[in-house]
Amino acid sequence: PSENYLFGFKQITEIAIKALSPGINDPGTAINAMDYLSDLFAVRMRIPDYKGVFSGDDMLRVRFNESTFAELLYDCFAAIREYGKSDPFIIRRLLRMVKTLHQLAPDTARKEILLDQARAVLEDAGRHIQNSADRERILRVVRGMDGLGEDDL
């Protein structure tokens, strides 16, 4: 992780996934991992999706492609969504992450990437959470977010 921050994202995501696995079933640890991921994503979304080497006249000479913000967000969210899709508490926490990051997003492109993940979380919740009280609490989290509505659940 000290050489490449992507490993840190991967390790924290794996902690969350293992904590959500039926054999371990430790949602508290998963929530802590998700909180750490939220903080990391708040920093990562302000970093350009590529690094480069520029010449003295500011011409890009070499470009290093890394995982984009969208790819990284998807990789982390998809894994956690898969293990937590029937847990209303985990679904709500994922949506709170998106909501917080959406408010901090530096541009509309990042906001749309976050909304795409929120829609995916809501789609999974719509398939796996049938209790009306749980569904209402999930909807409360996303109310007021432009681009999301009750039809997404």
Side-chain angles (χ1 to χ4, degrees):
S2 64
E3 296 292 323
N4 186 339
Y5 69 90
L6 296 174
F7 294 122
F9 277 93
K10 187 179 242 184
Q11 286 179 330
I12 294 171
T13 300
E14 287 175 4
I15 290 168
I17 292 167
K18 286 178 185 169
L20 292 172
S21 69
I24 296 176
N25 191 22
D26 182 7
T29 296
I31 294 299
N32 286 339
M34 292 164 62
D35 288 343
Y36 286 125
L37 284 172
S38 184
D39 291 342
L40 289 173
F41 276 116
V43 173
R44 173 57 183 90
M45 75 177 158
R46 293 190 308 258
I47 299 171
D49 283 337
Y50 68 91
K51 292 180 182 176
V53 176
F54 294 85
S55 64
D57 57 353
D58 288 332
M59 290 286 296
L60 179 63
R61 298 295 179 188
V62 179
R63 179 178 172 149
F64 302 100
N65 288 326
E66 293 185 349
S67 290
T68 65
F69 175 75
E71 291 167 344
L72 184 59
L73 188 71
Y74 174 81
D75 290 347
C76 294
F77 266 64
I80 295 170
R81 256 191 310 113
E82 180 58 31
Y83 282 87
K85 63 189 171 191
S86 60
D87 185 331
F89 191 67
I90 297 300
I91 294 295
R92 287 178 36 229
R93 182 63 93 175
L94 281 171
L95 291 170
R96 282 191 190 114
M97 276 177 68
V98 169
K99 190 172 189 175
T100 299
L101 292 170
H102 188 266
Q103 292 168 345
L104 299 172
D107 54 52
T108 56
R110 299 276 199 236
K111 288 180 186 281
E112 191 55 40
I113 290 165
L114 290 159
L115 289 175
D116 287 344
Q117 285 309 307
R119 288 182 195 106
V121 170
L122 289 170
E123 183 178 332
D124 278 351
R127 287 190 189 131
H128 297 279
I129 297 175
Q130 299 304 315
N131 182 289
S132 60
D134 290 339
R135 291 171 74 92
E136 176 57 33
R137 286 183 173 270
I138 289 167
L139 286 173
R140 279 188 215 156
V141 174
V142 297
R143 282 199 181 108
M145 279 186 71
D146 292 336
L148 292 179
E150 295 191 20
D151 295 339
D152 291 309
L153 178 62

